[in-house]
Amino acid sequence: MSSPSTSEKIKMLKDIVGPENVVDSKPALLIYARDASPMSGKVPIAVVRPGSTEEVQRIVEWANETKTPLYPRSGGTSLWGAVPLVEGSVVVDLAKMNRLVRIEERNLTCVVEPSITFGELEALLAKRGFRIIMSPENGMGATVGGNFASHGTGWGAGPNFSNQGDCVVGCKVVLPTGEVLTTGTMANPNAHGHFYRYAFGNDLTGLFCGSEGTLGIITELALKIEEMPGALGFTTFGYDSLEAVGEAIYRVRRLRIPTIYAYISTGWTLDMLFPEKAPWQHTIKFVVEASTKEILDIEMRRLMEAAGKEGNYLGPQMAEETWRERYRWVGLFGYKLGMRAALPIHVPIGEVGPYLKKVEEMAREIKDKYGLRVGAGGFACDRSCVIIVVVYFDPSNKRETELALRAWHEIKGKLFDAGACPYRMGALWADHMPKLGAYYDLLKRLKKVLDPNNIMAPGIMGL
Amino acid sequence: MVILEKYVKQIYRCARCGWCRTPTFADHGINKVCPVYEYHPKGPWEFFTARGRLAIAQGLLEGEIDVTKDLVEIIYSCTTCGACHEVCVIHFPVVMGVSKTDELDQVRVFEAMRAEVFKRRPDMLLEPHRRIAERVATQRNPYGEPHDQRFEWLSDTYRLAKQGETVYFVGCTSAYRHPEIARSTIRVLSKAGLVPAIIDEWCCGSTLLRTGQWDYVEELAKHNLEELKKAGARKVVVSCAGCYRTLKLDYPEILGSKWDFEILHATELMWELIEEGRLKIAKSLNQKVTYHDPCHLGRHAGVYDPPRDIIKSIPGVEFVELTPTRQYAMCCGGGGGVKSGFNELALRIGIAAVKRAEGIGAKILLSACPFCKRNLVEAIEACKAGIEFYDITEVLAKLV
């Protein structure tokens, strides 16, 4: 049988989900070839919008029959090139699957569809006195499904949690061949809901955490929820050297001080962002949570001692303001100076200082070589610290955009060679995957077994 | 491609962060933002959001797409309410007071996209919008009503002069569709001893500006300028939020320094009169009341407090705010040519607005724009809501 034409494919898709849930006109498709990174993807032939796991299942079955590549999309806010990479693809827009399905109060979990944003979920849970544990810097626009599928971390990362995956106890996935898999306790249809991730042998939830759509389409996630914290404390310290910043972060983590936010701003970046107040010290803004005010007082004293050893106490206000605006703060660091080519990486919690020094050197080199400004900040996870390197550029200037992309890839290569670990992958890191040797080989073999027709997000992560 | 090129920096400034899609940040009262994304009969599609529209603008600039029926439908199904601007990541430095410059004005860009499309393919213009332009050209109002009947609503009770420092610019919707607002305005101002003059006004041109038909607006603006000059006006009072935005923000751009009048919305002037003690609210209103911010008055022109101050000063009123409100308030659905071009969409947005007001227990929904009134009253009827709608001026007219 010859493969169907594009128009035949679109007709088939419309039969599956209804014509109102398929678009194929060029203007409508343009945004689906882009994410929040500077990378542009291939414009898909259509976008399909399922409303249920069953519809996703039928779309995936159709894609296998017609050998059509699928790119799942929820928030479309990725910074690492989560865009269609091959011609003739269909984007699966999960926008309608954005519900809080249920709260399993006795399990202290909730079940959500992938496209619910963190902001939406927080607001819904707060009405019942609950919260989720972790949310990304762009909690306004980013979705829970997208963050899990890309190994997200963010606010809430502390001594016990470093990754969205740490807060997920199970998921429902439509596999690349169309079967529906539920992981964690709910693999047992008689289970009392989602309450334990590591049930029944291998951690299959982990297989999909960070898989970025290459191994299936996540249609439900079960997240840990907990009561609102009893008390929050805020403080900021300034440091004269990046080494002192690194030591403060390490001490705070080693002492298990319960920070949910330890946000580094490098002095040179603050000088660029707020020149009217330059010169700036490097700063770390801390938010600490505790179950009671009394415990908070104890933890804040410990923090003052640990972070203040080489730091200059700057009061609670900056940290409190940043926390209050935690979902919008990216508007300053990320975009005040232009569009950003952002490169987030994980570095060891005890090596933050040396890595920041390297980034500082690179920022100078990029400035000299390309005339572009490079900023850097970061935040502590449990055993790692995320450093976000940002190349600022004017996207309306083609030449500058080309230079920014070049600088972005140069910094990426240097940091990888220095031992940093990519935080999120997309198309951005695809060229580095072969360097992982056996690890990459196994990923490819897994992909081949689960997705024999290679329909799921081909090219992402080099798969 | 002359028009869009002026906006090239803004068009590429979009970070595609998704805040214009489904932002929720309960700490700040932000929940749903784009009324078209939320309530379009075709459901939520990204091309209805600001980032989708800006991707289309980039496509137009780069010659990647042509003007097609699909494109026209997308770019005209936007109320140009500007809520996406308020939550935009690029606007955040301004929110935080660390930048004074707005580097991306979505409403301007979306209007420019329409002007660009109209310039390239005038034949693709939506029929209702084409008719509006025709009617404005012949009868000086978008409804096609006879120009010589513009002031028919004016009863013999009030004899308004043709000369005066304060001129009441009635606006087409108040003149022809909601004359009760015009009559109430005159009544309230007269109670304060301020009888405004009227002029031979023509449509302000708002409907043409919002639908990309810019060419004829200068002629309208020039006529209104001459008439105001002839009347010896210094202050111009308007009832309509659309007229307000046009006279306050657009005319200075079109006419430059020649346009030198103080533009006041009726609620601004009435609050001034209440504060000065010239206007007394004699009766009480024992009702739970809420207020819908007209986009052109609030987000576009920054007038949030005078309407609220008036409502709160009415004895007996229990005032409750909608969520979201003020700069994050959701549009009524009537603006940007959507009411005339896509009435089903306008009504769906209007019904959602009415239900939000009902949801907080309000018995009266107030606003300060005849255009909002048109859509919200229709929405109340369509969903048989147990809530009444009035323009603030109408309520004041009964209480002073």
Side-chain angles (χ1 to χ4, degrees):
Chain A
M1 187 186 127
S2 62
S3 63
S5 66
T6 298
S7 58
E8 285 168 335
K9 282 183 175 184
I10 287 160
K11 187 182 174 304
M12 291 160 94
L13 270 179
K14 287 180 177 174
D15 288 342
I16 294 172
V17 291
E20 69 280 13
N21 289 311
V22 180
V23 291
D24 62 340
S25 81
K26 188 86 180 278
L29 298 174
L30 289 181
I31 187 62
Y32 293 97
R34 295 160 159 92
D35 62 0
S37 78
M39 300 176 101
S40 279
K42 312 276 188 207
V43 178
I45 58 167
V47 179
V48 58
R49 194 178 52 178
S52 66
T53 299
E54 292 68 31
E55 284 186 351
V56 172
Q57 198 177 9
R58 290 173 63 201
I59 291 164
V60 170
E61 285 167 356
W62 165 85
N64 273 287
E65 282 163 24
T66 58
K67 307 286 186 293
T68 307
L70 298 178
Y71 287 90
R73 177 179 175 103
S74 47
T77 62
S78 53
L79 296 160
W80 47 94
V83 290
L85 297 173
V86 297
E87 299 284 358
S89 73
V90 166
V91 167
V92 183
D93 179 3
L94 297 163
K96 286 205 310 189
M97 298 182 70
N98 65 348
R99 287 159 289 203
L100 166 59
V101 179
R102 62 183 178 274
I103 295 174
E104 295 182 359
E105 194 162 334
R106 302 296 292 181
N107 291 338
L108 294 174
T109 60
C110 71
V111 177
V112 300
E113 291 182 322
S115 280
I116 193 165
T117 65
F118 285 88
E120 286 171 313
L121 181 57
E122 275 188 354
L124 291 169
L125 289 175
K127 289 180 187 165
R128 298 272 294 269
F130 287 109
R131 65 163 189 176
I132 45 172
I133 295 166
M134 192 177 292
S135 49
E137 91 179 321
N138 179 3
M140 292 242 295
T143 62
V144 175
N147 205 42
F148 172 74
S150 60
H151 268 324
T153 177
W155 317 147
N160 301 316
F161 302 102
S162 74
N163 185 291
Q164 194 66 53
D166 296 342
C167 313
V168 170
V169 294
C171 60
K172 187 185 276 185
V173 185
V174 177
L175 296 173
T177 39
E179 302 91 337
V180 177
L181 171 75
T182 305
T183 67
T185 46
M186 280 296 280
N188 174 1
N190 302 315
H192 290 278
H194 280 287
F195 56 90
Y196 186 56
R197 170 166 161 177
Y198 305 100
F200 315 119
N202 290 31
D203 171 24
L204 290 185
T205 308
L207 189 62
F208 301 99
C209 181
S211 62
E212 300 199 16
T214 58
L215 298 180
I217 299 179
I218 296 161
T219 57
E220 276 185 14
L221 280 168
L223 294 169
K224 295 174 186 174
I225 57 172
E226 54 187 26
E227 291 225 333
M228 298 289 188
L232 291 180
F234 306 91
T235 193
T236 303
F237 285 94
Y239 301 88
D240 289 328
S241 72
L242 293 168
E243 290 84 349
V245 168
E247 285 310 301
I249 287 284
Y250 176 66
R251 269 194 303 275
V252 168
R253 193 52 84 237
R254 181 169 173 151
L255 290 168
R256 296 180 51 76
I257 295 168
T259 62
I260 52 170
Y261 190 77
Y263 186 94
I264 302 164
S265 300
T266 57
W268 87 84
T269 308
L270 292 170
D271 287 349
M272 292 191 291
L273 287 170
F274 311 111
E276 64 283 358
K277 291 186 186 166
W280 285 82
Q281 286 185 298
H282 311 293
T283 63
I284 311 177
K285 290 176 257 193
F286 292 101
V287 181
V288 175
E289 74 165 33
S291 49
T292 66
K293 177 77 176 64
E294 291 70 29
I295 296 170
L296 179 69
D297 289 343
I298 295 167
E299 296 294 358
M300 287 300 284
R301 276 199 296 277
R302 295 176 67 221
L303 175 68
M304 299 297 266
E305 200 174 312
K309 198 171 172 189
E310 296 168 77
N312 172 26
Y313 177 62
L314 298 175
Q317 194 188 337
M318 285 165 71
E320 196 169 357
E321 183 179 62
T322 315
W323 178 254
R324 199 171 57 241
E325 292 293 356
R326 62 197 175 280
Y327 286 166
R328 304 200 285 182
W329 202 251
V330 64
L332 299 185
F333 173 56
Y335 300 104
K336 184 170 179 267
L337 298 173
M339 181 68 167
R340 64 170 175 170
L343 190 77
I345 49 163
H346 282 279
V347 304
I349 196 77
E351 302 294 330
V352 174
Y355 270 98
L356 282 173
K357 290 285 286 179
K358 279 191 184 68
V359 170
E360 190 181 30
E361 276 167 36
M362 285 180 213
R364 273 196 294 268
E365 283 169 18
I366 297 294
K367 178 81 185 157
D368 292 344
K369 194 171 169 184
Y370 299 119
L372 296 172
R373 292 181 288 192
V374 175
F379 57 91
C381 296
D382 65 349
R383 293 330 186 246
S384 76
C385 180
V386 169
I387 293 177
I388 306 161
V389 187
V390 176
V391 182
Y392 299 107
F393 66 101
D394 172 3
S396 68
N397 180 329
K398 277 197 178 148
R399 175 72 184 144
E400 199 170 307
T401 305
E402 277 168 25
L403 294 177
L405 284 168
R406 211 180 292 171
W408 198 32
H409 286 287
E410 272 182 34
I411 295 170
K412 178 185 79 172
K414 284 182 182 171
L415 286 170
F416 185 88
D417 292 345
C421 163
Y423 167 39
R424 318 212 206 226
M425 307 290 289
L428 175 62
W429 288 92
D431 58 345
H432 278 57
M433 291 300 281
K435 296 181 183 174
L436 302 178
Y439 192 94
Y440 180 47
D441 289 341
L442 181 59
L443 280 183
K444 283 196 292 188
R445 280 158 62 196
L446 281 170
K447 168 84 166 154
K448 183 84 182 158
V449 169
L450 290 174
D451 185 8
N453 292 319
N454 197 24
I455 57 152
M456 288 308 311
I460 296 292
M461 295 199 294
L463 295 172
Chain B
M1 191 68 70
V2 175
I3 297 169
L4 271 189
E5 274 173 4
K6 188 179 160 195
Y7 298 89
V8 66
K9 275 207 179 285
Q10 297 194 47
I11 288 166
Y12 284 90
R13 196 68 174 90
C14 174
R16 298 188 292 279
C17 65
W19 292 6
C20 53
R21 195 179 67 106
T22 52
T24 303
F25 196 5
D27 297 10
H28 294 276
I30 302 170
N31 50 32
K32 297 185 185 321
V33 166
C34 177
V36 179
Y37 181 82
E38 297 293 341
Y39 303 113
H40 197 286
K42 291 183 178 173
W45 288 107
E46 281 195 35
F47 48 81
F48 287 137
T49 68
R51 72 172 173 181
R53 294 174 191 281
L54 290 163
I56 290 172
Q58 290 177 16
L60 280 169
L61 274 169
E62 291 168 12
E64 199 178 354
I65 49 174
D66 295 319
V67 178
T68 59
K69 191 170 168 282
D70 290 331
L71 181 136
V72 169
E73 190 185 323
I74 293 170
I75 68 169
Y76 277 90
S77 59
C78 168
T79 62
T80 62
C81 73
C84 51
H85 174 75
E86 294 297 330
V87 300
C88 179
V89 74
I90 304 303
H91 177 60
F92 184 64
V94 178
V95 173
M96 293 302 290
V98 296
S99 176
K100 285 179 183 152
T101 319
D102 258 321
E103 295 182 31
L104 172 54
D105 182 341
Q106 284 85 345
V107 173
R108 292 274 183 203
V109 173
F110 299 159
E111 287 176 2
M113 284 170 77
R114 293 174 178 189
E116 180 71 44
V117 164
F118 177 60
K119 191 178 162 206
R120 289 171 67 178
R121 291 291 303 272
D123 58 308
M124 299 286 275
L125 190 68
L126 297 175
E127 185 54 24
H129 296 160
R130 192 190 56 74
R131 278 202 303 273
I132 284 173
E134 254 175 36
R135 290 163 176 172
V136 171
T138 54
Q139 295 296 338
R140 317 304 184 198
N141 71 80
Y143 302 108
E145 300 289 349
H147 178 63
D148 58 10
Q149 291 175 18
R150 195 172 180 96
F151 294 100
E152 284 236 319
W153 53 271
L154 197 56
S155 68
D156 292 338
T157 320
Y158 302 105
R159 298 206 172 277
L160 303 187
K162 302 274 183 198
Q163 295 273 318
E165 272 201 5
T166 304
V167 164
Y168 176 38
F169 190 92
V170 183
C172 306
T173 309
S174 302
Y176 294 111
R177 292 293 179 266
H178 289 292
E180 67 281 4
I181 294 176
R183 279 193 290 268
S184 300
T185 303
I186 299 293
R187 176 175 157 76
V188 173
L189 295 182
S190 301
K191 274 275 179 186
L194 200 164
V195 183
I198 51 169
I199 58 166
D200 173 30
E201 63 182 48
W202 288 3
C203 172
C204 68
S206 177
T207 47
L208 302 180
L209 286 170
R210 310 304 151 229
T211 55
Q213 305 175 85
W214 291 359
D215 292 347
Y216 185 50
V217 180
E218 190 172 348
E219 191 183 329
L220 300 172
K222 279 181 175 165
H223 169 85
N224 289 327
L225 169 70
E226 288 311 312
E227 288 297 312
L228 286 168
K229 272 188 181 169
K230 268 197 277 176
R234 293 169 65 90
K235 283 185 185 177
V236 184
V237 186
V238 298
S239 291
C240 177
C243 296
Y244 184 78
R245 186 228 139 104
T246 306
L247 268 57
K248 183 127 180 165
L249 304 178
D250 297 314
Y251 275 19
E253 281 190 19
I254 296 166
L255 299 169
S257 58
K258 285 178 279 180
W259 184 255
D260 185 23
F261 305 99
E262 185 185 358
I263 310 299
L264 287 168
H265 188 264
T267 55
E268 289 181 293
L269 180 59
M270 287 170 189
W271 176 242
E272 221 174 273
L273 295 170
I274 291 169
E275 271 196 309
E276 287 169 4
R278 293 170 64 188
L279 188 62
K280 304 268 186 228
I281 303 176
K283 298 174 197 159
S284 59
L285 179 68
N286 297 308
Q287 287 286 11
K288 198 168 181 177
V289 169
T290 192
Y291 173 69
H292 166 84
D293 284 286
C295 305
H296 285 130
L297 190 63
R299 263 191 294 272
H300 292 210
V303 179
Y304 296 109
D305 289 326
R308 286 175 170 77
D309 291 337
I310 293 174
I311 297 168
K312 288 175 192 169
S313 72
I314 299 172
V317 157
E318 184 192 344
F319 178 66
V320 278
E321 285 279 11
L322 287 162
T323 304
T325 188
R326 297 176 74 93
Q327 72 267 39
Y328 303 124
M330 284 202 87
C331 177
C332 76
V338 167
K339 183 76 185 157
S340 49
F342 305 97
N343 193 41
E344 186 192 352
L345 171 60
L347 267 185
R348 286 169 70 108
I349 297 170
I351 288 169
V354 166
K355 290 196 167 161
R356 267 192 302 281
E358 270 195 314
I360 55 169
K363 296 294 172 205
I364 296 178
L365 172 58
L366 293 178
S367 194
C369 174
F371 219 71
C372 293
K373 176 165 186 174
R374 268 193 86 198
N375 201 48
L376 291 172
V377 166
E378 255 186 63
I380 287 170
E381 284 164 10
C383 68
K384 298 182 173 51
I387 192 166
E388 292 173 72
F389 179 94
Y390 297 104
D391 191 276
I392 290 177
T393 317
E394 291 177 83
V395 170
L396 267 190
K398 288 177 189 163
L399 302 178
V400 292

Short mmCIF file of all heavy atoms in Angstrom, two decimals, chain A residues 365-372 403-404 406-407 410:
data_model
loop_
_atom_site.label_atom_id
_atom_site.label_comp_id
_atom_site.label_asym_id
_atom_site.label_seq_id
_atom_site.Cartn_x
_atom_site.Cartn_y
_atom_site.Cartn_z
N GLU A 365 35.11 36.20 27.19
CA GLU A 365 35.55 35.78 25.85
C GLU A 365 34.47 36.07 24.80
O GLU A 365 34.76 36.57 23.72
CB GLU A 365 35.83 34.27 25.84
CG GLU A 365 37.16 33.90 26.49
CD GLU A 365 37.28 32.39 26.69
OE1 GLU A 365 36.52 31.62 26.04
OE2 GLU A 365 38.08 31.99 27.53
N ILE A 366 33.23 35.75 25.15
CA ILE A 366 32.12 35.96 24.20
C ILE A 366 31.94 37.45 23.92
O ILE A 366 31.71 37.86 22.80
CB ILE A 366 30.81 35.34 24.74
CG1 ILE A 366 30.94 33.83 24.89
CG2 ILE A 366 29.60 35.72 23.89
CD1 ILE A 366 31.11 33.07 23.60
N LYS A 367 32.09 38.22 24.96
CA LYS A 367 31.97 39.68 24.80
C LYS A 367 33.04 40.19 23.82
O LYS A 367 32.77 40.97 22.92
CB LYS A 367 32.10 40.35 26.18
CG LYS A 367 32.05 41.85 26.16
CD LYS A 367 30.63 42.35 26.09
CE LYS A 367 30.60 43.85 25.95
NZ LYS A 367 29.37 44.33 25.37
N ASP A 368 34.30 39.69 24.05
CA ASP A 368 35.40 40.13 23.18
C ASP A 368 35.22 39.64 21.76
O ASP A 368 35.47 40.36 20.80
CB ASP A 368 36.75 39.61 23.73
CG ASP A 368 37.11 40.29 25.05
OD1 ASP A 368 36.49 41.34 25.34
OD2 ASP A 368 37.96 39.77 25.78
N LYS A 369 34.80 38.38 21.64
CA LYS A 369 34.75 37.74 20.32
C LYS A 369 33.54 38.19 19.50
O LYS A 369 33.65 38.45 18.30
CB LYS A 369 34.70 36.23 20.53
CG LYS A 369 34.99 35.40 19.32
CD LYS A 369 35.13 33.93 19.76
CE LYS A 369 35.16 32.99 18.58
NZ LYS A 369 35.19 31.59 19.02
N TYR A 370 32.38 38.24 20.16
CA TYR A 370 31.14 38.51 19.40
C TYR A 370 30.45 39.83 19.79
O TYR A 370 29.45 40.20 19.18
CB TYR A 370 30.14 37.37 19.62
CG TYR A 370 30.62 36.01 19.17
CD1 TYR A 370 30.76 34.97 20.08
CD2 TYR A 370 30.93 35.79 17.84
CE1 TYR A 370 31.19 33.73 19.67
CE2 TYR A 370 31.37 34.55 17.41
CZ TYR A 370 31.50 33.52 18.33
OH TYR A 370 31.93 32.29 17.92
N GLY A 371 30.94 40.44 20.82
CA GLY A 371 30.30 41.68 21.28
C GLY A 371 28.97 41.45 21.96
O GLY A 371 28.15 42.37 22.08
N LEU A 372 28.72 40.22 22.40
CA LEU A 372 27.43 39.90 23.04
C LEU A 372 27.59 39.82 24.55
O LEU A 372 28.64 39.39 25.06
CB LEU A 372 26.90 38.56 22.53
CG LEU A 372 26.55 38.50 21.04
CD1 LEU A 372 26.24 37.07 20.64
CD2 LEU A 372 25.36 39.41 20.75
N LEU A 403 25.30 35.06 15.62
CA LEU A 403 26.42 35.08 16.56
C LEU A 403 26.01 34.51 17.92
O LEU A 403 26.77 33.78 18.55
CB LEU A 403 26.95 36.51 16.74
CG LEU A 403 27.60 37.15 15.51
CD1 LEU A 403 28.01 38.59 15.81
CD2 LEU A 403 28.81 36.34 15.05
N ALA A 404 24.79 34.84 18.33
CA ALA A 404 24.31 34.33 19.63
C ALA A 404 24.20 32.81 19.60
O ALA A 404 24.57 32.13 20.56
CB ALA A 404 22.96 34.96 19.96
N ARG A 406 25.94 30.85 17.73
CA ARG A 406 27.31 30.33 17.73
C ARG A 406 27.88 30.34 19.16
O ARG A 406 28.47 29.37 19.62
CB ARG A 406 28.18 31.18 16.80
CG ARG A 406 29.28 30.39 16.14
CD ARG A 406 30.11 31.27 15.24
NE ARG A 406 29.39 31.74 14.06
CZ ARG A 406 29.86 32.67 13.23
NH1 ARG A 406 31.01 33.26 13.47
NH2 ARG A 406 29.18 33.02 12.17
N ALA A 407 27.68 31.46 19.83
CA ALA A 407 28.18 31.58 21.20
C ALA A 407 27.54 30.54 22.11
O ALA A 407 28.21 29.92 22.95
CB ALA A 407 27.89 32.99 21.72
N GLU A 410 29.12 27.24 21.53
CA GLU A 410 30.51 27.23 22.04
C GLU A 410 30.53 27.03 23.55
O GLU A 410 31.29 26.23 24.08
CB GLU A 410 31.19 28.56 21.70
CG GLU A 410 31.86 28.57 20.34
CD GLU A 410 32.56 29.90 20.06
OE1 GLU A 410 33.10 30.53 21.00
OE2 GLU A 410 32.52 30.28 18.90
#
